[in-house]
């Protein structure tokens, strides 16, 4: 965890104790360390400072505007996949010329808005999308910058639900098809071919898939240039994984950035990378508290006030996260194993299985789920008509509410009973 440590058996984020924050903010809430986020960002940017590299942070990982602003101030760009994300990035101060637009289903409206903001490039995912962008650019009389997302047909490891670079995945265009798409694009006076793109998946903890796919994209660029299609940017996507288990300590940053340096020095193109998880995952926790302790024939349960609507990763991806005490009370000898479950009416609402916690854990004790800064708050919902929980950002000794709680009253207000039902 970056930016978190125990001090006198109490968990602190930077210089402030979580217990103190809980006196002001009701659980559950997300809490991020600005120092942790910046340290992750710097771990990549410092190693790449002598290359022409744009770190286009993948907004989907954590799209809070304050976090985007924090990164924007360090020079980050953004990888966006919707109009909402585009507007967030712009609002955070990331200029259009540092924004790439990815995603298989860009709507006409999204394309139109992104053209207006003169974004760095659209990462095109299909021939149909190319035609749509062409048509909208023509109508607006503004040239759109485009790259084609190639599908390198590479197995990235990790969970099948986050693999994106195999030919059975819905993403990208095969290398042979892509060549045709580029040729078509080069015939249009409203499309400005600027780059090549790919993204092979997420939570990748081996260097080989990166190595293989980077080689493929480099070869593909050479092929394009051999037919006189000039490329300025090579977008390598995101995917760098993090250690979710205390037992694992894989650090690929050196090898990964070395691959990027190599591709930069052999091509001299601008390199774009789109890390999301790596920047924010380990800089965030979800603070929750015990509602009930429950025992059945086979298991001990702790029911907490955070559910799968707040944090979906365990239910969606079988993701494993540690649950620990905010305040350590006793020695490990007095511990027991518990399944930590949320209040949602779904059997999948299990935050963690076999968490080792104090056996005398009781109602209102504070716990936290670790490494939830990425794909945590952004995937939360109001399922079971539960509130959207607040997000807090710590900076040194201070904490700031960067998203208010959205209560049931707030979202029920959006609904209407038609007259005929009144
Ligand atoms: C196109 C694209 N770029 C970047 C990312 C970020 O990936 P990660 O958070 O694993 O770095 C994703 C997420 O899957 C993505 O779809």
């Amino acid at each position: 965890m970056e930016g978190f440590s125990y001090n006198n058996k109490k968990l602190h984020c930077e210089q402030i104790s979580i217990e103190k924050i809980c006196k002001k903010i009701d659980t559950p809430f997300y809490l991020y360390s600005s120092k942790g986020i910046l340290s992750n960002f710097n771990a990549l940017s410092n190693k790449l400072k002598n290359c022409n590299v744009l770190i286009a942070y993948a907004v989907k990982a954590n799209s809070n505007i304050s976090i985007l602003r924090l990164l924007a101030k360090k020079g980050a760009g953004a990888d966006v996949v919707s109009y909402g994300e585009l507007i967030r990035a712009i609002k955070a101060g990331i200029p259009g010329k540092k924004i790439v637009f990815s995603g298989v289903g860009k709507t006409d409206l999204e394309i139109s808005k992104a053209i207006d903001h003169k974004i760095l490039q659209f990462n095109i995912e299909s021939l149909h999308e190319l035609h749509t962008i062409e048509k909208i650019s023509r109508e607006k009389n503004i040239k759109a910058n485009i790259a084609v997302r190639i599908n390198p047909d590479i197995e990235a490891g990790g969970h099948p639900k986050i693999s994106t670079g195999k030919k059975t995945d819905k993403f990208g265009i095969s290398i042979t098809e892509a060549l045709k798409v580029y040729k078509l694009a080069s015939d249009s006076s409203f499309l400005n071919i600027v780059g090549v793109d790919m993204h092979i998946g997420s939570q990748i903890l081996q260097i080989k898939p990166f190595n293989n796919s980077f080689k493929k994209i480099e070869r593909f660029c050479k092929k394009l240039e051999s037919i006189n299609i000039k490329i300025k940017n090579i977008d390598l996507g995101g995917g760098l994984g993090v250690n979710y288990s205390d037992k694992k300590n894989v650090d690929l940053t050196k090898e990964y950035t070395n691959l990027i340096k190599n591709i930069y020095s052999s091509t001299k193109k601008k390199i774009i990378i789109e890390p999301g998880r790596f920047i924010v995952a380990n800089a965030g926790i979800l603070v929750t508290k015990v509602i009930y302790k429950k025992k059945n024939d086979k298991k001990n349960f702790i029911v907490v006030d955070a559910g799968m609507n707040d944090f979906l990763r365990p239910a969606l991806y079988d993701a494993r996260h540690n649950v620990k005490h905010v305040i350590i009370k006793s020695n490990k000898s007095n511990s027991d194993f518990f399944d930590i479950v949320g209040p949602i009416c779904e059997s999948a609402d299990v935050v963690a299985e076999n968490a080792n916690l104090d056996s005398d854990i009781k109602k209102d004790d504070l716990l936290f789920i670790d490494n939830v800064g990425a794909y945590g708050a952004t995937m939360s919902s109001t399922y079971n008509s539960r509130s959207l929980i607040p997000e807090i950002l710590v900076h040194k000794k201070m904490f700031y509410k960067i998203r208010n709680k959205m209560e049931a009253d707030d979202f029920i207000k959006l609904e209407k009973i038609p007259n005929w039902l009144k």
Side-chain angles (χ1 to χ4, degrees):
M1 295 285 299
E2 282 292 324
F4 294 86
S5 57
Y6 282 100
N7 187 350
N8 275 334
K9 298 199 170 181
K10 290 183 176 180
L11 184 72
H12 281 63
C13 180
E14 303 189 20
Q15 293 153 43
I16 185 162
S17 95
I18 309 301
E19 187 191 25
K20 196 168 162 190
I21 299 173
C22 290
K23 294 204 167 113
K24 296 267 166 57
I25 313 271
D26 289 338
T27 61
F29 58 85
Y30 278 99
L31 180 92
Y32 314 116
S33 159
S34 52
K35 186 175 156 200
I37 294 170
L38 290 181
S39 139
N40 293 332
F41 181 82
N42 291 337
L44 291 179
S45 69
N46 289 345
K47 290 192 181 72
L48 295 168
K49 62 174 170 252
N50 296 324
C51 312
N52 182 8
V53 173
L54 173 70
I55 302 183
Y57 166 69
V59 172
K60 64 171 78 67
N62 189 319
S63 55
N64 191 288
I65 294 177
S66 298
I67 288 175
L68 300 182
R69 178 80 192 139
L70 186 70
L71 294 168
K73 288 179 96 172
K74 294 288 163 197
D79 162 48
V80 304
V81 292
S82 69
Y83 176 58
E85 288 192 354
L86 173 69
I87 285 307
R88 283 176 178 278
I90 299 281
K91 233 185 151 169
I94 300 176
K97 63 175 191 242
K98 286 189 177 177
I99 298 178
V100 299
F101 203 132
S102 305
V104 288
K106 303 173 193 79
T107 64
D108 290 13
L109 180 75
E110 288 172 330
I111 292 168
S112 167
K113 297 282 184 193
I115 292 175
D116 292 343
H117 283 288
K118 301 195 168 51
I119 61 162
L120 176 59
Q121 67 187 42
F122 284 98
N123 290 332
I124 290 183
E125 298 250 8
S126 62
L127 184 58
H128 200 164
E129 186 190 329
L130 180 92
H131 290 315
T132 307
I133 296 178
E134 211 287 327
K135 180 173 163 281
I136 298 172
S137 310
R138 190 176 287 276
E139 281 160 11
K140 288 181 171 284
N141 200 17
I142 305 175
K143 268 191 166 191
N145 296 327
I146 61 136
V148 174
R149 174 169 176 178
I150 59 162
N151 180 323
D153 194 23
I154 280 187
E155 175 82 66
H159 195 278
K161 284 189 185 160
I162 47 178
S163 151
T164 58
K166 287 180 60 210
K167 63 177 174 213
T168 45
D169 296 322
K170 69 176 176 180
F171 301 98
I173 302 179
S174 74
I175 286 189
T176 26
E177 277 304 302
L179 211 51
K180 293 183 202 155
V181 175
Y182 273 104
K183 282 183 190 153
L184 269 176
S186 66
D187 289 339
S188 165
S189 43
F190 287 93
L191 297 175
N192 194 17
I193 298 174
V194 291
V196 180
D197 167 59
M198 68 173 189
H199 168 74
I200 56 171
S202 197
Q203 184 52 9
I204 302 168
L205 282 174
Q206 296 154 0
I207 203 66
K208 206 168 150 202
F210 287 122
N211 191 15
N212 292 345
S213 56
F214 291 6
K215 277 191 187 137
K216 274 201 176 177
I217 203 168
E218 195 181 335
R219 274 201 301 273
F220 183 66
C221 273
K222 286 199 180 122
K223 202 171 204 169
L224 286 175
E225 306 223 284
S226 73
I227 55 166
N228 226 6
I229 294 176
K230 294 269 170 287
I231 296 297
K232 287 195 229 158
N233 313 328
I234 301 181
D235 184 340
L236 300 170
L240 188 56
V242 297
N243 296 300
Y244 281 111
S245 152
D246 289 346
K247 289 178 204 122
K248 258 196 179 164
N249 198 10
V250 183
D251 183 0
L252 285 189
T253 49
K254 194 155 178 247
E255 286 169 275
Y256 177 75
T257 49
N258 279 344
L259 288 182
I260 293 168
K261 282 194 241 175
N262 290 344
I263 191 165
Y264 170 70
S265 57
S266 74
T267 63
K268 289 286 175 287
K269 311 277 181 210
K270 178 192 190 101
I271 307 293
I272 303 167
I273 53 171
E274 304 169 356
R277 189 187 307 272
F278 182 83
I279 308 277
V280 284
N282 66 5
I285 61 171
L286 199 168
V287 184
T288 182
K289 87 180 169 205
V290 177
I291 309 180
Y292 297 112
K293 226 170 150 176
K294 176 172 175 172
K295 203 174 165 66
N296 72 13
D297 285 350
K298 292 229 164 105
K299 277 193 166 174
N300 291 321
F301 294 99
I302 299 288
V303 186
V304 292
D305 60 2
M308 63 187 273
N309 70 304
D310 306 308
F311 185 54
L312 187 60
R313 283 182 34 78
L316 186 64
Y317 302 128
D318 304 312
R320 291 185 196 282
H321 289 258
N322 295 306
V323 176
K324 296 178 184 162
H325 289 279
V326 166
I327 302 160
I328 300 172
K329 282 192 268 184
S330 57
N331 296 329
K332 274 271 175 246
S333 56
N334 249 344
S335 69
D336 241 326
F337 289 95
F338 299 92
D339 278 11
I340 314 296
V341 298
I344 302 274
C345 305
E346 296 279 351
S347 305
D349 187 21
V350 178
V351 178
E353 284 177 284
N354 288 319
N356 190 211
L357 298 169
D358 277 7
S359 33
D360 65 351
I361 184 168
K362 56 178 190 329
K363 186 173 168 59
D364 291 337
D365 278 359
L366 294 170
L367 298 172
F368 72 97
I369 311 168
D370 70 2
N371 298 316
V372 302
Y375 307 105
T378 46
M379 284 193 175
S380 58
S381 75
T382 57
Y383 184 44
N384 275 202
S385 287
R386 285 163 49 85
S387 307
L388 272 192
I389 63 177
E391 291 178 278
I392 312 295
L393 181 66
V394 171
H395 177 57
K396 297 183 179 165
K397 286 184 193 155
M398 307 289 282
F399 70 93
Y400 304 86
K401 204 186 252 189
I402 57 170
R403 181 176 80 181
N404 284 330
K405 187 172 183 176
M406 185 161 118
E407 311 263 10
D409 280 347
D410 299 323
F411 54 79
I412 290 171
K413 254 192 252 160
L414 303 174
E415 295 173 28
K416 282 192 191 116
I417 301 175
N419 280 341
W420 65 271
L421 269 177
K422 281 186 183 157

